[in-house]
Coordinates of all heavy atoms in Angstrom, one line a residue:
Chain A
A57 N -21.5 14.6 -13.5 CA -20.4 14.1 -12.6 C -19.8 12.9 -12.9 O -18.8 12.4 -12.3 CB -21.0 14.0 -11.2
N58 N -20.2 12.2 -14.0 CA -19.8 10.9 -14.4 C -19.0 10.9 -15.8 O -19.4 11.7 -16.7 CB -20.9 9.9 -14.5 CG -21.7 9.8 -13.2 OD1 -21.3 9.1 -12.3 ND2 -22.8 10.5 -13.1
L59 N -18.0 10.1 -15.9 CA -17.3 9.9 -17.1 C -17.0 8.4 -17.3 O -16.6 7.7 -16.4 CB -16.0 10.6 -17.1 CG -15.1 10.4 -18.4 CD1 -15.7 10.9 -19.7 CD2 -13.7 11.1 -18.3
A60 N -17.4 7.9 -18.5 CA -17.3 6.4 -18.7 C -16.4 6.2 -19.8 O -16.1 6.9 -20.8 CB -18.6 5.9 -19.0
T61 N -15.6 4.9 -19.8 CA -14.8 4.5 -20.9 C -14.9 3.0 -20.8 O -15.0 2.4 -19.7 CB -13.5 5.1 -21.0 OG1 -12.9 4.8 -22.3 CG2 -12.6 4.5 -19.9
A62 N -14.6 2.2 -22.0 CA -14.3 0.8 -21.9 C -12.9 0.6 -21.9 O -12.2 1.1 -22.8 CB -15.1 0.2 -23.1
D63 N -12.4 -0.2 -21.0 CA -10.9 -0.4 -21.0 C -10.5 -1.9 -20.7 O -9.5 -2.4 -21.2 CB -10.3 0.5 -19.9 CG -10.8 0.5 -18.5 OD1 -11.7 -0.4 -18.3 OD2 -10.4 1.3 -17.7
H64 N -11.2 -2.6 -19.8 CA -10.8 -4.0 -19.4 C -10.9 -5.0 -20.6 O -10.1 -5.7 -20.7 CB -11.7 -4.4 -18.3 CG -11.3 -3.8 -16.9 ND1 -11.4 -2.5 -16.7 CD2 -10.8 -4.3 -15.8 CE1 -11.1 -2.1 -15.5 NE2 -10.6 -3.3 -14.9
N65 N -11.9 -4.9 -21.4 CA -12.2 -5.9 -22.4 C -11.8 -5.6 -23.8 O -11.9 -6.5 -24.6 CB -13.8 -6.0 -22.4 CG -14.3 -7.0 -21.3 OD1 -14.3 -8.2 -21.4 ND2 -14.8 -6.4 -20.3
V66 N -11.3 -4.3 -24.0 CA -11.1 -4.0 -25.3 C -9.8 -4.7 -25.9 O -8.9 -4.8 -25.3 CB -10.9 -2.4 -25.5 CG1 -12.3 -1.7 -25.0 CG2 -9.8 -1.9 -24.6
P67 N -9.9 -5.0 -27.2 CA -8.7 -5.6 -27.8 C -7.6 -4.5 -28.0 O -7.9 -3.3 -28.2 CB -9.3 -6.1 -29.2 CG -10.5 -5.3 -29.4 CD -11.1 -4.9 -28.2
T68 N -6.4 -5.0 -28.1 CA -5.2 -4.0 -28.2 C -4.6 -4.1 -29.6 O -3.7 -3.6 -29.9 CB -4.2 -4.2 -27.1 OG1 -3.7 -5.5 -27.3 CG2 -4.7 -3.9 -25.8
T69 N -5.2 -5.1 -30.3 CA -4.9 -5.2 -31.9 C -5.8 -4.5 -32.7 O -6.6 -3.7 -32.2 CB -4.8 -6.7 -32.2 OG1 -6.0 -7.4 -31.7 CG2 -3.6 -7.3 -31.5
D70 N -5.9 -4.7 -34.0 CA -6.8 -4.2 -34.9 C -8.1 -4.0 -34.4 O -8.8 -5.1 -33.9 CB -6.6 -4.8 -36.2 CG -7.7 -4.2 -37.3 OD1 -8.0 -3.1 -37.1 OD2 -8.1 -5.0 -38.1
R71 N -8.9 -2.9 -34.3 CA -10.1 -2.8 -33.7 C -11.2 -2.6 -34.8 O -12.4 -2.3 -34.5 CB -10.2 -1.6 -32.8 CG -9.4 -1.8 -31.5 CD -9.3 -0.7 -30.7 NE -8.7 -1.1 -29.4 CZ -8.5 -0.2 -28.3 NH1 -8.8 1.1 -28.5 NH2 -8.0 -0.7 -27.2
S72 N -10.8 -2.6 -36.0 CA -11.8 -2.2 -37.1 C -12.9 -3.1 -37.2 O -14.0 -2.8 -37.7 CB -11.0 -2.2 -38.4 OG -10.4 -3.4 -38.8
R73 N -12.7 -4.3 -36.8 CA -13.8 -5.3 -36.7 C -14.5 -5.5 -35.3 O -15.2 -6.5 -35.2 CB -13.4 -6.7 -37.4 CG -13.5 -6.8 -38.9 CD -12.7 -7.8 -39.4 NE -11.3 -7.7 -39.0 CZ -10.3 -8.4 -39.4 NH1 -10.5 -9.3 -40.3 NH2 -9.1 -8.3 -38.9
G74 N -14.2 -4.6 -34.4 CA -14.9 -4.7 -33.2 C -14.2 -5.8 -32.3 O -13.1 -6.1 -32.5
I75 N -14.9 -6.3 -31.3 CA -14.4 -7.3 -30.3 C -14.8 -8.6 -30.7 O -16.0 -8.9 -30.9 CB -15.0 -6.9 -28.9 CG1 -14.6 -5.4 -28.5 CG2 -14.5 -7.9 -27.9 CD1 -15.2 -5.0 -27.2
A76 N -13.8 -9.5 -30.9 CA -14.2 -10.9 -31.3 C -14.8 -11.7 -30.4 O -15.8 -12.4 -30.7 CB -12.8 -11.5 -31.8
D77 N -14.4 -11.6 -29.1 CA -15.1 -12.4 -28.1 C -16.5 -11.9 -27.8 O -16.7 -10.8 -27.4 CB -14.2 -12.3 -26.7 CG -14.9 -12.9 -25.6 OD1 -15.9 -13.6 -25.7 OD2 -14.2 -13.0 -24.4
P78 N -17.4 -12.7 -28.0 CA -18.9 -12.3 -27.8 C -19.2 -11.8 -26.5 O -20.1 -10.9 -26.3 CB -19.7 -13.5 -28.3 CG -18.8 -14.7 -28.3 CD -17.4 -14.2 -28.5
V79 N -18.7 -12.6 -25.5 CA -19.0 -12.2 -24.1 C -18.4 -10.8 -23.7 O -19.1 -10.0 -23.1 CB -18.5 -13.3 -23.1 CG1 -19.1 -13.0 -21.7 CG2 -18.8 -14.6 -23.6
S80 N -17.2 -10.6 -24.1 CA -16.6 -9.2 -24.0 C -17.3 -8.1 -24.8 O -17.6 -7.0 -24.2 CB -15.2 -9.2 -24.5 OG -14.4 -9.8 -23.5
R81 N -17.8 -8.5 -25.9 CA -18.5 -7.6 -26.8 C -19.8 -7.1 -26.1 O -20.1 -5.9 -26.1 CB -18.7 -8.2 -28.2 CG -19.3 -7.1 -29.2 CD -19.3 -7.6 -30.6 NE -20.3 -8.8 -30.7 CZ -19.9 -10.0 -31.2 NH1 -18.7 -10.1 -31.5 NH2 -20.7 -10.9 -31.3
V82 N -20.6 -8.1 -25.6 CA -21.8 -7.7 -24.9 C -21.5 -6.8 -23.7 O -22.3 -5.8 -23.6 CB -22.5 -9.1 -24.4 CG1 -23.6 -8.8 -23.5 CG2 -23.1 -9.8 -25.6
Q83 N -20.4 -7.0 -23.0 CA -20.2 -6.1 -21.9 C -19.9 -4.7 -22.3 O -20.4 -3.7 -21.7 CB -19.2 -6.7 -21.0 CG -19.0 -6.1 -19.7 CD -18.2 -6.9 -18.7 OE1 -17.1 -7.2 -19.0 NE2 -18.8 -7.2 -17.5
V84 N -19.2 -4.5 -23.3 CA -18.8 -3.1 -23.9 C -20.1 -2.6 -24.4 O -20.4 -1.4 -24.2 CB -17.7 -3.2 -24.8 CG1 -17.5 -1.9 -25.5 CG2 -16.3 -3.7 -24.1
E85 N -20.9 -3.2 -25.2 CA -22.1 -2.7 -25.8 C -23.1 -2.4 -24.6 O -23.8 -1.3 -24.8 CB -22.8 -3.8 -26.8 CG -22.0 -3.9 -28.0 CD -22.5 -5.1 -28.8 OE1 -23.4 -5.8 -28.4 OE2 -21.9 -5.3 -30.0
T86 N -23.0 -3.1 -23.5 CA -23.9 -2.8 -22.4 C -23.6 -1.5 -21.9 O -24.4 -0.7 -21.5 CB -23.9 -4.0 -21.4 OG1 -24.2 -5.2 -22.0 CG2 -24.8 -3.7 -20.2
L87 N -22.2 -1.3 -21.8 CA -21.8 0.1 -21.3 C -22.3 1.2 -22.2 O -22.9 2.3 -21.8 CB -20.3 0.2 -21.1 CG -19.7 1.5 -20.7 CD1 -20.1 1.8 -19.1 CD2 -18.3 1.5 -20.8
D88 N -22.1 1.1 -23.5 CA -22.5 2.1 -24.6 C -24.1 2.2 -24.4 O -24.4 3.5 -24.3 CB -22.3 1.5 -26.0 CG -20.8 1.3 -26.2 OD1 -20.0 1.7 -25.4 OD2 -20.5 0.6 -27.3
N89 N -24.8 1.2 -24.3 CA -26.3 1.5 -24.1 C -26.7 2.1 -22.8 O -27.5 2.9 -22.8 CB -27.0 0.1 -24.2 CG -26.8 -0.6 -25.6 OD1 -26.5 0.0 -26.6 ND2 -27.0 -1.9 -25.6
N90 N -26.0 1.7 -21.8 CA -26.4 2.3 -20.5 C -26.1 3.7 -20.5 O -26.7 4.6 -19.9 CB -25.6 1.6 -19.2 CG -26.3 0.2 -19.0 OD1 -27.5 0.1 -19.0 ND2 -25.5 -0.8 -18.5
C91 N -24.8 4.1 -21.0 CA -24.4 5.6 -21.0 C -25.4 6.4 -21.8 O -25.8 7.5 -21.4 CB -23.0 5.7 -21.5 SG -21.8 5.1 -20.3
A92 N -25.8 5.8 -23.0 CA -26.8 6.5 -23.8 C -28.1 6.7 -23.1 O -28.7 7.8 -23.1 CB -27.0 5.8 -25.1
E93 N -28.6 5.6 -22.4 CA -29.8 5.7 -21.7 C -29.9 6.6 -20.5 O -30.8 7.3 -20.3 CB -30.3 4.3 -21.3 CG -31.5 4.1 -20.6 CD -31.9 2.7 -20.1 OE1 -31.3 1.8 -20.5 OE2 -32.8 2.7 -19.0
F94 N -28.8 6.7 -19.8 CA -28.8 7.4 -18.6 C -28.1 8.8 -18.7 O -27.9 9.6 -17.8 CB -28.1 6.7 -17.4 CG -28.9 5.6 -16.9 CD1 -28.8 4.3 -17.4 CD2 -30.0 5.8 -15.9 CE1 -29.7 3.2 -16.9 CE2 -30.8 4.9 -15.4 CZ -30.6 3.6 -15.9
G95 N -27.6 9.2 -19.9 CA -27.1 10.4 -20.3 C -25.7 10.7 -19.7 O -25.4 11.8 -19.2
I96 N -24.9 9.7 -19.8 CA -23.5 9.8 -19.3 C -22.5 9.9 -20.4 O -22.6 9.1 -21.4 CB -23.1 8.6 -18.3 CG1 -24.0 8.7 -17.1 CG2 -21.7 8.5 -18.0 CD1 -23.9 7.6 -16.1
T97 N -21.5 10.8 -20.3 CA -20.5 11.0 -21.3 C -19.5 9.7 -21.4 O -19.1 9.2 -20.3 CB -19.7 12.3 -21.0 OG1 -20.5 13.3 -21.0 CG2 -18.5 12.4 -22.1
E98 N -19.4 9.2 -22.5 CA -18.6 8.0 -22.6 C -17.5 8.3 -23.7 O -17.8 8.7 -24.9 CB -19.4 6.7 -22.9 CG -18.6 5.5 -23.1 CD -19.2 4.3 -23.7 OE1 -20.4 4.5 -24.2 OE2 -18.6 3.3 -23.7
F99 N -16.2 7.8 -23.5 CA -15.2 7.8 -24.5 C -15.2 6.4 -25.0 O -14.7 5.4 -24.4 CB -13.8 8.2 -24.1 CG -13.7 9.7 -23.5 CD1 -12.7 10.0 -22.7 CD2 -14.6 10.6 -23.8 CE1 -12.6 11.3 -22.2 CE2 -14.5 11.8 -23.4 CZ -13.5 12.3 -22.6
K100 N -15.8 6.2 -26.2 CA -15.9 4.8 -26.7 C -14.7 4.4 -27.5 O -13.9 5.2 -27.8 CB -17.1 4.8 -27.7 CG -18.5 4.9 -27.0 CD -19.5 4.7 -28.2 CE -20.9 5.2 -27.6 NZ -21.9 5.0 -28.6
M101 N -14.6 3.0 -27.7 CA -13.6 2.4 -28.4 C -13.6 3.1 -29.7 O -14.7 3.2 -30.3 CB -13.8 0.9 -28.6 CG -12.5 0.2 -28.7 SD -12.8 -1.6 -28.7 CE -13.8 -1.9 -30.2
G102 N -12.4 3.6 -30.2 CA -12.4 4.4 -31.5 C -12.2 5.9 -31.3 O -11.7 6.6 -32.1
D103 N -12.6 6.3 -30.1 CA -12.4 7.8 -29.7 C -10.9 7.9 -29.2 O -10.5 7.0 -28.5 CB -13.4 8.1 -28.6 CG -13.3 9.6 -28.1 OD1 -12.2 10.2 -28.2 OD2 -14.4 10.1 -27.8
I104 N -10.2 8.8 -29.8 CA -8.8 9.0 -29.3 C -8.6 9.2 -27.8 O -7.6 8.8 -27.2 CB -8.0 10.1 -30.2 CG1 -6.5 9.9 -29.9 CG2 -8.5 11.4 -29.8 CD1 -5.7 10.3 -31.0
R105 N -9.6 9.6 -27.2 CA -9.5 9.9 -25.7 C -9.8 8.6 -24.9 O -9.7 8.6 -23.7 CB -10.6 10.9 -25.3 CG -10.3 12.3 -26.0 CD -11.4 13.3 -25.8 NE -12.6 12.6 -26.3 CZ -13.8 13.4 -26.2 NH1 -14.0 14.4 -25.6 NH2 -15.0 12.8 -26.8

Side-chain angles (χ1 to χ4, degrees):
Chain A
N58 300 280
L59 173 64
T61 197
D63 55 6
H64 286 63
N65 278 276
V66 297
T68 58
T69 48
D70 178 26
R71 290 174 170 179
S72 57
R73 274 162 305 191
I75 303 174
D77 174 359
V79 191
S80 286
R81 189 171 63 234
V82 165
Q83 195 164 52
V84 172
E85 286 170 358
T86 302
L87 179 69
D88 295 347
N89 295 338
N90 282 329
C91 288
E93 180 183 341
F94 287 93
I96 289 172
T97 301
E98 182 194 5
F99 298 163
K100 293 186 189 182
M101 203 171 74
D103 186 323
I104 190 147
R105 299 170 297 176

